[in-house]
Amino acid sequence: MLKDCSPINIDEFATAYFGKGKNAIEQAKSWLTKLAKARIEDSHLFKLSDKTFEDEPIVYCDHFGKWWTGRFIGSLHYEGVSIEIHPRFGLKFVADNIPLNNFIPVETNASFSSGEKFIHLLQAMLWLNLLAKAAKHTVPAVKINKAHTSAISRGRIDVQRTIKARIKDPSKIASISSHKEINNPITTTVVLAYFEIQRWFPKHNLLNWLPETIGLRLQQMIDATPRHSPIPKTRDIKGARLGSIAKAYIPLTRVSLDILKNKGISEKSDENKSSTLLVDVAELWEIYILSVLREALINIDVLHGTREGDKFLLTDKSGKYQLGKLLPDYIFNINGNTASIGDAKYKRLGDAPWMSPKRDDLYQMTAYLSRYSSCEEGSFYYPDWGDDCTITDNNPWQLASGQSINFIKVPIDKSVAVSYLRQFYGDSVHRKKLINNF
């Protein structure tokens, strides 16, 4: 089984997908080389935020000739070969940290994995997340226009048709009335996708995963959809005229069609096309660290810097223009002042040459601290992979500016992580200054 950020056993991989023998190994390496160069499209990604995606390879070969998976999990079909990359920290870690609007409880017990592949779970959570956003304010009612020709107006007057009508009968007026219809191709697509997901997980009621308001709107859509409705055609979906508020259903409809067509799941995909659904675990790690920090440092305002930061590295001599926007993952504020910053790194921290800290990461943190000059320190947060590492034993590492950098290995168990960081930030003297109210 392939797992993210893990070595690929080339012999086992070749045997599983290309057969046995030396030729199969060469075929496997050739396929991996092509995949390493392939670009990941936005449509392939289950994006958890609006953060700009950093182009990273799905697989790569290190300087020693060893193949590795990158930081993605999910299902991939590429040039006739279908693979899955599973989460090295387990499905529960993924389910617990995908931000389903913070109200959809997801249990990842054995029965939950009753779908054909674990990618079903990712697609189901993506679908639920988009449904929660779309159905927050309305159902996908489509505007329907109906033409009338009579002695009275029943809506907006159609001038051209009125002129033609009055040639035959001067008493006639052509008008157009509008009403909103829930039974439409958008609703049908969403409802059919709901039924498909429900078949994946027959022991769970999806309506119980949703808050009451969202569940009621979904039930409205189900009630409005005739039984045994066929999958709407793409042209019919594109022709549906949604109101401005209901346009949030467009991405949900797109994912619903993928679910109904088994995109990213079927191993019988078109040989000439690649179909993919991937999750960037680095995004999950960033979300996880934010949650841990906010729970551990209860007296500090921990901001999500990629959303709330606005500092620039450079300002021109006139002071009018700025260059090089800096967005650390976390900004620690005390009484409105920035006291520290932090950055999540989904990388292996250790003493081996191929492990972090990487030079570009050190430059990045130095740039952050240069701009946030009032901060005494900045911190990197790495997963605790279980690797030997003396770097963490020598925290904090000092810069010539007098500022310092911490390299922190954070446990995967959230309760353990909260206790660990709470103790870490309470141990040293200058950290006590940072959290003097803690």
Side-chain angles (χ1 to χ4, degrees):
M1 179 189 295
L2 296 177
K3 294 186 177 182
D4 65 276
C5 295
S6 300
I8 300 173
N9 185 316
I10 197 68
D11 293 331
E12 292 180 0
F13 182 81
T15 301
Y17 298 101
F18 297 93
K20 296 182 178 181
K22 185 176 180 180
N23 186 51
I25 291 177
E26 293 304 315
Q27 285 182 297
K29 289 181 178 178
S30 175
W31 185 84
L32 288 170
T33 300
K34 292 178 182 179
L35 180 61
K37 297 177 181 178
R39 289 185 58 85
I40 301 175
E41 305 293 337
D42 276 352
S43 59
H44 295 161
L45 276 175
F46 175 0
K47 300 190 75 172
L48 306 176
S49 68
D50 297 329
K51 186 177 180 179
T52 303
F53 169 66
E54 297 178 11
D55 194 12
E56 294 277 347
I58 299 173
V59 295
Y60 65 94
C61 186
D62 65 21
H63 297 301
F64 304 101
K66 190 175 186 63
W67 282 96
W68 294 75
T69 54
R71 66 193 204 189
F72 301 98
I73 59 174
S75 172
L76 165 73
H77 183 87
Y78 181 74
E79 293 200 349
V81 178
S82 295
I83 64 172
E84 286 185 348
I85 304 174
H86 288 244
R88 63 172 290 113
F89 292 139
L91 207 54
K92 188 175 189 308
F93 178 81
V94 176
D96 288 346
N97 291 288
I98 286 183
L100 300 180
N101 291 278
N102 299 317
F103 50 59
I104 302 174
V106 178
E107 295 296 332
T108 54
N109 52 35
S111 65
F112 192 89
S113 299
S114 58
E116 180 184 347
K117 296 182 178 181
F118 93 101
I119 192 64
H120 285 147
L121 172 63
L122 300 182
Q123 283 190 305
M125 288 194 286
L126 171 58
W127 187 88
L128 287 167
N129 192 33
L130 292 173
L131 173 68
K133 293 177 181 177
K136 187 176 182 180
H137 300 293
T138 186
V139 293
V142 169
K143 186 177 181 181
I144 304 295
N145 291 333
K146 185 175 181 180
H148 308 274
T149 302
S150 62
I152 59 173
S153 172
R154 298 186 181 179
R156 178 171 54 88
I157 295 176
D158 187 332
V159 176
Q160 291 185 343
R161 288 183 60 249
T162 297
I163 293 173
K164 292 179 181 179
R166 287 197 168 188
I167 293 175
K168 298 178 181 180
D169 186 345
S171 66
K172 300 297 184 182
I173 297 175
S175 58
I176 299 174
S177 64
S178 300
H179 69 280
K180 292 186 176 181
E181 180 64 57
I182 297 180
N183 179 20
N184 60 72
I186 300 286
T187 299
T188 301
T189 304
V190 172
V191 170
L192 292 179
Y194 161 76
F195 289 144
E196 180 67 16
I197 296 173
Q198 189 65 76
R199 280 192 288 270
W200 290 349
F201 308 108
K203 296 183 180 180
H204 294 75
N205 184 349
L206 265 64
L207 290 174
N208 292 337
W209 293 359
L210 298 166
E212 185 177 359
T213 303
I214 305 300
L216 286 173
R217 291 204 171 104
L218 177 57
Q219 189 62 58
Q220 278 183 271
M221 296 161 64
I222 294 171
D223 294 341
T225 303
R227 294 180 63 84
H228 310 298
S229 296
I231 299 175
K233 296 181 179 179
T234 303
R235 66 172 179 269
D236 295 329
I237 293 173
K238 289 182 177 180
R241 300 171 59 191
L242 290 171
S244 57
I245 297 178
K247 286 190 182 298
Y249 282 92
I250 293 175
L252 174 63
T253 306
R254 193 177 301 122
V255 171
S256 297
L257 280 176
D258 286 348
I259 288 171
L260 295 171
K261 295 176 181 178
N262 280 336
K263 181 179 178 182
I265 296 175
S266 175
E267 295 187 2
K268 298 180 180 179
S269 301
D270 189 332
E271 297 293 318
N272 298 318
K273 295 182 180 179
S274 63
S275 57
T276 301
L277 180 63
L278 298 174
V279 173
D280 186 353
V281 188
E283 276 197 285
L284 283 176
W285 182 248
E286 181 181 322
I287 293 167
Y288 171 71
I289 293 297
L290 178 65
S291 176
V292 170
L293 287 171
R294 285 178 171 171
E295 192 169 327
L297 308 178
I298 55 177
N299 292 321
I300 293 179
D301 188 14
V302 182
L303 304 180
H304 198 181
T306 52
R307 296 182 179 180
E308 301 169 87
D310 60 355
K311 299 289 187 181
F312 288 82
L313 180 62
L314 303 174
T315 303
D316 76 330
K317 60 184 180 182
S318 70
K320 184 177 180 180
Y321 300 104
Q322 295 178 308
L323 182 66
K325 193 169 186 178
L326 297 177
L327 298 174
D329 292 337
Y330 318 109
I331 299 173
F332 300 81
N333 278 356
I334 299 177
N335 299 325
N337 299 315
T338 301
S340 184
I341 54 175
D343 221 57
K345 295 296 178 187
Y346 191 69
K347 300 176 181 180
R348 301 178 79 104
L349 178 66
D351 297 327
W354 53 273
M355 292 181 176
S356 288
K358 302 295 185 183
R359 182 180 298 177
D360 54 347
D361 293 338
L362 298 178
Y363 290 165
Q364 179 187 33
M365 181 58 74
T366 303
Y368 287 157
L369 290 172
S370 173
R371 182 61 185 89
Y372 291 86
S373 56
S374 62
C375 296
E376 292 187 9
E377 65 177 13
S379 299
F380 286 120
Y381 305 97
Y382 298 87
D384 188 350
W385 305 85
D387 299 311
D388 294 332
C389 180
T390 60
I391 296 172
T392 58
D393 298 334
N394 296 315
N395 282 323
W397 292 75
Q398 301 295 320
L399 293 170
S401 64
Q403 296 166 300
S404 59
I405 299 177
N406 297 305
F407 300 92
I408 306 172
K409 293 169 66 173
V410 182
I412 301 305
D413 184 291
K414 187 175 181 181
S415 61
V416 176
V418 168
S419 298
Y420 176 76
L421 287 182
R422 188 172 290 167
Q423 180 180 358
F424 180 88
Y425 280 105
D427 275 349
S428 76
V429 174
H430 76 280
R431 290 193 202 110
K432 286 181 180 178
K433 293 180 181 177
L434 169 67
I435 52 173
N436 51 18
N437 293 320
F438 179 61

